[in-house]
Amino acid sequence: MGVTSRGFAVLFLAGFAAQPAFAYKIFVSNEKSNDVTVLDGDTLEVIDTFEVGQRPRGITVANDGNHLLVAVGDDDTVEVYDTETYERLHTLPSGPDPELFVLHPSGNPLYIANEDDNLVTVVDLENRSMIAEIPVGVEPEGMGVSPDGSVIVNTSETTNMAHFIDTESHEIVANVLVDQRPRFAEFKSDGSEVWVSSEIGGTVSVIDPATHEIKHKIEFDIPGLRPEAIQPVGVRITEDMETAFVALGPANRVAVVDPETYEVLDYLLVGQRVWQLGFSPDESLLFSTNGVSNDISVIDVEDREVTKSVQVGEFPWGVVTTPD
Amino acid sequence: MKRILSVLITTFAASISASAQEADNITIGYLHPAERLQTLSLLDRPTEDLGISGARLGLDDNNTTGQFTGQVYTLETAPVSGAADAEAAVQQVADAGAGWIVADLEAEALLAVADAAAARDMLVLNTGAPDDALRGEMCRANVIHVAPSRAMLADALAQYLAWKKWPRWFLLKGSHPEDEAFAQALGRAADRFGGRIVEERIYEDTGGARTTDSGHIQVQQRMPVFTQGAPDHDVVLVADENEVFGTYVPYHTWDPRPVMGTAGLEPTVWSPAHEQWAGIQVQNRFVDGYGRRMQAEDMLAWMAVRMIGEAATRTNSAEPEAIRSYLLGPDFTLAAFKGEALSLRDWDLQLRQPILLADDKTVVSVSPQEGFLHPTSFLDTLGYDRAESECEL
């Protein structure tokens, strides 16, 4: 009986300990404090912080949620961490000064923007080798991938272009001139549009990937705020294409946009200098990284309301969650 | 073997002519001083490539973009030792195909260049002369001022002093006309932003070498005496553009006060220490390419070359007329690592821009300061506004 009950207790404990693995985790890269903050997706509380390389910015989850990829620009590499143990497993040959990257929808390869070298580097995650280097415009930054994985879009901040790159040939197939300092590229889930934010231009260009034409430019106007303070960076569009969100930098707001009509529906007040955005796995919540106020804001996607802010590390930059 | 070679040569020649047909050539003239002023500090001695390397980096950046637009940019440089050289220098770069001129020159030479360029229908981008008169009563329709004016620099400093609540300024000025001009700009800034110049003192330039072996010994005796007995003041301002004494003022004042102006904390378009708003990226490119840190002259040249590149990209044209109307039109903006778009004031063709306040180690602040409001652009709180301008284009 004693043995059985102890066995039961062990089983119970093991089951209990494994419980948090079912909840998703939120990872936030902190550009200045050189660490990653881990939050629990259920409680939205900080459960851990672990040190990474110098100047972590781009962050994503790979290998079915088991690997966390962090671009550490000042160390000229992309680090790969175990999402359970936070152990650094290995690094990737990213090319110099990686800032942002995007994962192919199939989970491999990784497309990395190298800011200082005017290159996009393609890296195979399995054998950790560089597949290709693609010359692009000056100061490449934003990286988007079409849902079918056939095209990636890189934005170059000083050339002011969105470069459309064929993922088979690694050739640029089109260059679309957008407004000043394009920062981010996000495809709609049906692949019909890619949205490119221009930080200094203050706009989001909606580009048709078939014709490479700009269909529309979304502009922002916040009463009482000078237009120069409205600097779009991160963009996220829900899978159902019902709602889009645009982080507006020093305007300290996230714009809610109707992806159908491009109408700006609302401006949600978040923390200071909002950089990037990331959804929870079921897209019920959106997290914004607020660079100057050192916190993330939690936005209820359906209610379009900021429900909470959570202190993280210094200068939070990127945010990603593990899958459910 | 011979045949193969000739086939190869033919193919090569064909591919060159094809690309020559497709590519638009955009040649930019860059005029720089034949000699630059000696500085008091060894650390600030101008390198041979000062300014030119900034222009070259701008050219490289334009050419990277040019790969996608079919535009090829080249730079033609020429030294100018004074106004008398202007005509020949403009002719030289024009003969080499330049359609635009970037001029890092003082006012008199700049005006001579502007006249020579006007006769050839060329636009001049001024990166060297800060004179307000060039943007005022002496303004020219073919001169764009990339360099900030003295009034903009003085206003940038004055806003910071107002924000710090340090309103009492003790002004030390050199004896050259440029020093007087900057002193006047500081006086104007005091009136605009609630400062007060408690006393002005002139430091006469009596000539002599910039470098001697006696070092600090005389300086330590002279500077305290020079600054002795001033009315109560919060800061010491220095107007010494020709570097006669300004470098020696910090730490040598009679009263322990911070020093600002052309020495100490300087209002400037660029600092080798500026890294925010992605400034680190252009700094990295510059150091990689030219083996030294990027100075204000380099950044001004970079901006001027990028302005032409930006206009050529947006208009998809290499035609001077198209580029000119884009630059002078309402759609022109430039991103230059200052956190917001730079644009042109249509009343005097001055580039609107934030001004850094930097010492030799770091960027201390950036003006316009929070709270100085303007109905159209906060950047227009710096320098001569539309209503004040005497420029008639």
Side-chain angles (χ1 to χ4, degrees):
Chain A
M1 179 65 193
V3 173
T4 319
S5 83
R6 196 201 275 173
F8 180 75
V10 168
L11 270 177
F12 177 80
L13 274 174
F16 184 79
Q19 197 78 40
F22 294 114
Y24 68 93
K25 285 177 177 174
I26 307 159
F27 293 98
V28 178
S29 59
N30 300 304
E31 184 182 0
K32 183 145 171 76
S33 50
N34 291 342
D35 50 24
V36 166
T37 306
V38 190
L39 295 93
D40 180 277
D42 284 341
T43 64
L44 301 177
E45 278 172 11
V46 175
I47 50 172
D48 235 311
T49 300
F50 60 95
E51 279 181 30
V52 296
Q54 303 270 330
R55 203 174 181 202
R57 285 182 286 175
I59 185 167
T60 198
V61 165
N63 191 16
D64 300 324
N66 295 310
H67 289 172
L68 181 74
L69 275 46
V70 186
V72 284
D74 284 359
D75 284 344
D76 298 325
T77 190
V78 171
E79 296 177 322
V80 181
Y81 289 89
D82 184 306
T83 51
E84 279 304 312
T85 64
Y86 315 136
E87 185 193 347
R88 194 176 87 162
L89 304 172
H90 53 262
T91 60
L92 298 171
S94 67
D97 197 28
E99 178 167 354
L100 256 178
F101 43 49
V102 69
L103 197 59
H104 192 272
S106 67
N108 195 26
L110 186 71
Y111 300 91
I112 305 168
N114 299 118
E115 266 198 315
D116 280 355
D117 279 44
N118 306 342
L119 290 174
V120 165
T121 302
V122 188
V123 173
D124 186 293
L125 293 183
E126 267 158 33
N127 56 28
R128 300 171 214 165
S129 65
M130 195 183 284
I131 301 171
E133 282 184 336
I134 306 157
V136 290
V138 183
E139 293 170 33
E141 160 123 2
M143 298 293 295
V145 62
S146 63
D148 66 0
S150 65
V151 173
I152 55 169
V153 171
N154 161 254
T155 68
S156 51
E157 293 174 309
T158 289
T159 291
N160 299 319
M161 283 179 181
H163 307 284
F164 285 70
I165 301 166
D166 184 303
T167 52
E168 283 291 317
S169 65
H170 298 139
E171 298 277 335
I172 293 181
V173 292
N175 301 291
V176 180
L177 197 60
V178 294
D179 288 338
Q180 300 281 341
R181 282 201 92 73
R183 293 291 303 251
F184 199 81
E186 168 89 343
F187 274 85
K188 271 188 176 171
S189 61
D190 65 355
S192 63
E193 290 173 358
V194 57
W195 291 25
V196 173
S197 62
S198 290
E199 186 180 26
I200 296 293
T203 59
V204 171
S205 295
V206 178
I207 303 171
D208 181 337
T211 62
H212 306 117
E213 301 273 327
I214 296 177
K215 290 168 67 175
H216 186 83
K217 263 187 200 173
I218 303 168
E219 295 183 351
F220 305 92
D221 177 28
I222 303 172
L225 209 66
R226 62 192 188 115
E228 292 85 1
I230 299 172
Q231 302 186 351
V233 184
V235 180
R236 293 291 177 198
I237 307 170
T238 54
E239 183 77 22
D240 61 14
M241 299 189 293
E242 291 287 317
T243 321
F245 296 92
V246 181
L248 297 179
N252 306 336
R253 283 162 177 84
V254 170
V256 185
V257 182
D258 183 332
E260 191 71 39
T261 63
Y262 313 123
E263 189 190 346
V264 181
L265 304 170
D266 205 354
Y267 295 100
L268 308 175
L269 192 62
V270 293
Q272 291 174 349
R273 195 157 188 189
V274 51
W275 282 124
Q276 296 291 349
L277 304 170
F279 285 118
S280 62
D282 65 0
E283 297 196 339
S284 65
L285 298 177
L286 179 77
F287 308 106
S288 76
T289 53
N290 311 318
V292 173
S293 51
N294 295 343
D295 56 4
I296 62 165
S297 296
V298 181
I299 294 164
D300 186 305
V301 170
E302 201 177 314
D303 296 344
R304 295 169 186 165
E305 264 181 12
V306 179
T307 56
K308 191 175 177 166
S309 65
V310 186
Q311 205 73 17
V312 291
E314 285 176 72
F315 293 16
W317 199 92
V319 57
V320 69
T321 66
T322 52
D324 256 330
Chain B
M1 181 63 201
K2 238 182 189 168
R3 223 183 96 190
I4 294 174
L5 197 66
S6 80
V7 168
L8 273 175
I9 287 169
T10 320
T11 321
F12 185 51
S15 75
I16 281 187
S17 69
S19 65
Q21 268 175 3
E22 283 162 22
D24 276 333
N25 282 303
I26 296 172
T27 303
I28 300 168
Y30 178 77
L31 306 185
H32 58 90
E35 258 184 273
R36 289 189 189 264
L37 200 71
Q38 275 290 27
T39 57
L40 285 178
S41 169
L42 212 49
L43 296 181
D44 301 333
R45 290 289 150 90
T47 52
E48 284 280 325
D49 68 330
L50 185 64
I52 296 177
S53 290
R56 292 205 186 285
L57 182 66
L59 205 75
D60 281 356
D61 287 350
N62 284 353
N63 274 323
T64 301
T65 302
Q67 301 169 68
F68 310 115
T69 55
Q71 291 169 330
V72 175
Y73 296 80
T74 49
L75 195 71
E76 283 297 328
T77 66
V80 174
S81 47
D85 272 6
E87 173 68 31
V90 171
Q91 186 65 47
Q92 185 190 327
V93 295
D95 284 349
W100 304 266
I101 289 177
V102 176
D104 181 7
L105 301 172
E106 44 75 33
E108 202 188 336
L110 178 80
L111 283 177
V113 164
D115 290 342
R120 295 166 178 82
D121 238 354
M122 293 166 91
L123 203 56
V124 177
L125 290 91
N126 164 26
T127 62
D131 306 65
D132 285 283
L134 293 173
R135 292 122 173 113
E137 68 270 21
M138 294 163 85
C139 71
R140 302 290 169 91
N142 71 326
V143 180
I144 289 174
H145 303 280
V146 183
S149 68
R150 289 194 180 93
M152 291 166 72
L153 298 170
D155 288 349
L157 185 57
Q159 286 190 6
Y160 181 67
L161 291 171
W163 187 85
K164 291 294 291 177
K165 298 191 167 55
W166 291 343
R168 298 170 305 173
W169 310 347
F170 175 29
L171 174 59
L172 310 177
K173 61 184 183 185
S175 57
H176 292 270
E178 297 84 5
D179 308 330
E180 180 55 37
F182 189 51
Q184 281 181 16
L186 289 168
R188 173 180 176 272
D191 291 344
R192 282 158 68 88
F193 299 108
R196 186 161 57 84
I197 294 176
V198 298
E199 190 187 329
E200 277 188 32
R201 271 181 209 180
I202 297 185
Y203 191 98
E204 286 295 339
D205 184 2
T206 52
R210 292 294 157 100
T211 310
T212 62
D213 222 31
S214 72
H216 72 279
I217 298 168
Q218 274 196 355
V219 170
Q220 191 169 334
Q221 303 297 328
R222 276 185 186 172
M223 281 300 145
V225 177
F226 176 53
T227 54
Q228 186 180 2
D232 286 349
H233 55 281
D234 301 302
V235 293
V236 173
L237 299 187
V238 176
D240 174 37
E241 292 193 10
N242 289 283
E243 294 219 19
V244 174
F245 70 100
T247 307
Y248 299 142
V249 179
Y251 312 109
H252 285 304
T253 52
W254 185 268
D255 298 305
R257 295 289 180 272
V259 176
M260 306 180 183
T262 60
L265 186 72
E266 295 186 35
T268 178
V269 72
W270 190 249
S271 157
H274 181 61
E275 58 181 332
Q276 55 181 321
W277 298 308
I280 187 69
Q281 291 171 33
V282 74
Q283 299 272 21
N284 287 345
R285 284 207 297 285
F286 193 90
V287 172
D288 283 353
Y290 307 101
R292 61 174 177 84
R293 287 269 155 216
M294 191 178 199
Q295 306 294 327
E297 290 85 345
D298 299 309
M299 181 30 103
L300 285 164
W302 182 90
M303 284 158 65
V305 170
R306 278 288 304 124
M307 283 169 74
I308 296 165
E310 184 63 19
T313 309
R314 298 283 168 189
T315 56
N316 194 23
S317 169
E319 292 305 315
E321 198 36 59
I323 287 175
R324 181 198 197 110
S325 39
Y326 184 81
L327 284 174
L328 304 188
D331 295 330
F332 165 72
T333 59
L334 182 75
F337 315 100
K338 296 290 173 60
E340 60 186 287
L342 315 187
S343 54
L344 275 188
R345 292 178 182 154
D346 59 9
W347 60 91
D348 61 359
L349 307 188
Q350 168 69 54
L351 191 69
R352 290 184 180 93
Q353 54 194 306
I355 299 294
L356 311 181
L357 301 171
D359 67 3
D360 57 356
K361 283 276 188 286
T362 187
V363 176
V364 173
S365 186
V366 181
S367 287
Q369 297 292 321
E370 199 73 37
F372 291 96
L373 305 179
H374 190 280
T376 49
S377 166
F378 290 175
L379 293 176
D380 287 343
T381 62
L382 305 177
Y384 283 83
D385 206 347
R386 183 186 299 277
E388 304 164 295
S389 177
E390 289 177 35
C391 174
E392 283 174 32
L393 289 170

